[in-house]
Amino acid sequence: MANLATMLDVDRFPTIFDRLTSHLPIKDIVALTRTCRKLKLLYQKMVNRGAWDIDSRLRKFVKDPLGFRERLTELEGIISGSFALQFVDRVDWEGSDLDVCVQLGEKADAFCRYIEEVEGYDLASRTVAKYAWTHVDMVHAYDKVVDGEFIRLEIILTHNHPIHATLSTYTTALVNVITGNHAYCVFPNATFMKRQTYPTRIPDYFNGVILTQKYKDRGWGFIQRIPKQKWVTGELDLGCRWIGDKHTWKMALSPMSDEAADSAEGAVQGLKFEMKKCQDHYDGVELEWLGVAAKQGH
């Protein structure tokens, strides 16, 4: 009887390889790469076989995924939110949107026109952001119907580099970024190995109960207490980090034009951010969260 290493020989059994690996969670992929020499390159072989095919995932939302990514790069935009999390985790949640962050100004205006004129979306709403610390000024929601399915794309307009908005989201599991040619997961060990997520805003009823319940239902444990310094794991080490450091999971996406790829490479790579443990009290309850903030100036 063939063993697992033989069945995962992609050169001999490509179809079996694709079907078996499509069901593997990330922690099992990592575990298998550590079992024997034959499986050491399992992850890279999965990448080469298109296990993380960004164009396939984007095709639900846009007609021309490659053109969309090149346009995103040209206008210095990024993809974040639940789409980025689903892409890295290789899952697809029914009814989820595509969130694109672009800095307010001419580039954002150009991207909105692109979405309407090239991709055929209709503007559904404009919502002004309520809190300045989210780094978001306004959200434009665009809708269209494809093959009878309702599709929504949201353009999040930020008042500085869009990475600030991603880092100021409410929980670490959502701190993932997709540029034109790379995907970055900032907290991969907590998010995909331990399936845990930490608050990155002061917990209130909306982001501490309603929003976090969604991710509890999807299999993540929500950790309300930030570990003490000596117990903090590597990816949550307090102090300064940068996107693309040793704790970041960085994944190359399918090729773009050389010019677009060169531009995309510098979109977020190397951007520094600070992490600190924050505490406050409300109605006699001690609240803790992980403060994550990008350094200004990028």
Side-chain angles (χ1 to χ4, degrees), residues 17-35:
F17 178 91
D18 290 341
R19 290 186 178 179
L20 285 178
T21 56
S22 68
H23 296 286
L24 288 176
I26 290 166
K27 64 179 181 180
D28 288 350
I29 296 170
V30 174
L32 284 170
T33 62
R34 296 170 176 170
T35 58

Side-chain angles (χ1 to χ4, degrees), residues 15 19 22 47 60 95 132 167 198 207 228 235 277:
T15 301
R19 290 186 178 179
S22 68
V47 172
K60 173 182 176 180
L167 289 173
Y198 294 80
N207 64 48
K228 293 181 179 180
E235 79 284 350
K277 181 176 180 177

Side-chain angles (χ1 to χ4, degrees), residues 182-251:
H182 283 93
Y184 300 83
C185 175
V186 176
F187 303 106
N189 189 46
T191 305
F192 298 114
M193 299 297 287
K194 298 180 179 178
R195 307 299 286 193
Q196 295 177 346
T197 186
Y198 294 80
T200 53
R201 293 181 187 170
I202 183 169
D204 59 20
Y205 181 72
F206 184 62
N207 64 48
V209 178
I210 298 177
L211 293 179
T212 56
Q213 187 60 47
K214 292 195 307 182
Y215 291 93
K216 290 179 181 178
D217 293 342
R218 291 164 176 166
W220 275 275
F222 196 82
I223 309 302
Q224 298 283 1
R225 307 286 292 186
I226 305 302
K228 293 181 179 180
Q229 179 70 36
K230 64 180 180 180
W231 295 333
V232 172
T233 55
E235 79 284 350
L236 293 178
D237 198 11
L238 304 183
C240 187
R241 278 189 56 191
W242 60 92
I243 295 179
D245 64 10
K246 66 180 181 180
H247 301 305
T248 306
W249 179 7
K250 177 183 177 183
M251 182 191 309

Side-chain angles (χ1 to χ4, degrees), residues 73-277:
T73 297
E74 178 184 343
L75 300 176
E76 299 181 348
I78 60 175
I79 297 171
S80 60
S82 66
F83 178 92
L85 175 60
Q86 291 173 76
F87 171 74
V88 177
D89 204 25
R90 296 191 304 153
V91 296
D92 188 8
W93 300 329
E94 185 177 355
S96 62
D97 306 334
L98 174 63
D99 294 336
V100 179
C101 299
V102 185
Q103 189 168 356
L104 197 67
E106 293 182 2
K107 292 179 179 179
D109 295 341
F111 197 75
C112 290
R113 289 195 299 271
Y114 173 84
I115 290 301
E116 294 178 8
E117 297 170 5
V118 177
E119 288 295 340
Y121 277 90
D122 295 319
L123 179 64
S125 66
R126 288 189 178 97
T127 305
V128 177
K130 295 181 179 179
Y131 306 108
W133 46 263
T134 65
H135 303 280
V136 176
D137 281 15
M138 185 174 291
V139 178
H140 289 188
Y142 288 87
D143 296 338
K144 69 177 178 179
V145 177
V146 179
D147 297 329
E149 182 179 1
F150 174 81
I151 303 295
R152 168 158 287 189
L153 184 153
E154 292 191 342
I155 299 180
I156 300 169
L157 306 178
T158 64
H159 52 258
N160 46 32
H161 190 281
I163 191 62
H164 293 262
T166 300
L167 289 173
S168 68
T169 188
Y170 66 92
T171 189
T172 55
L174 288 173
V175 186
N176 310 288
V177 181
I178 297 175
T179 65
N181 65 345
H182 283 93
Y184 300 83
C185 175
V186 176
F187 303 106
N189 189 46
T191 305
F192 298 114
M193 299 297 287
K194 298 180 179 178
R195 307 299 286 193
Q196 295 177 346
T197 186
Y198 294 80
T200 53
R201 293 181 187 170
I202 183 169
D204 59 20
Y205 181 72
F206 184 62
N207 64 48
V209 178
I210 298 177
L211 293 179
T212 56
Q213 187 60 47
K214 292 195 307 182
Y215 291 93
K216 290 179 181 178
D217 293 342
R218 291 164 176 166
W220 275 275
F222 196 82
I223 309 302
Q224 298 283 1
R225 307 286 292 186
I226 305 302
K228 293 181 179 180
Q229 179 70 36
K230 64 180 180 180
W231 295 333
V232 172
T233 55
E235 79 284 350
L236 293 178
D237 198 11
L238 304 183
C240 187
R241 278 189 56 191
W242 60 92
I243 295 179
D245 64 10
K246 66 180 181 180
H247 301 305
T248 306
W249 179 7
K250 177 183 177 183
M251 182 191 309
L253 305 179
S254 55
M256 306 165 62
S257 68
D258 291 341
E259 181 179 356
D262 289 342
S263 179
E265 180 64 22
V268 298
Q269 176 73 25
L271 181 139
K272 294 182 179 180
F273 58 95
E274 189 80 17
M275 298 200 304
K276 60 182 180 180
K277 181 176 180 177

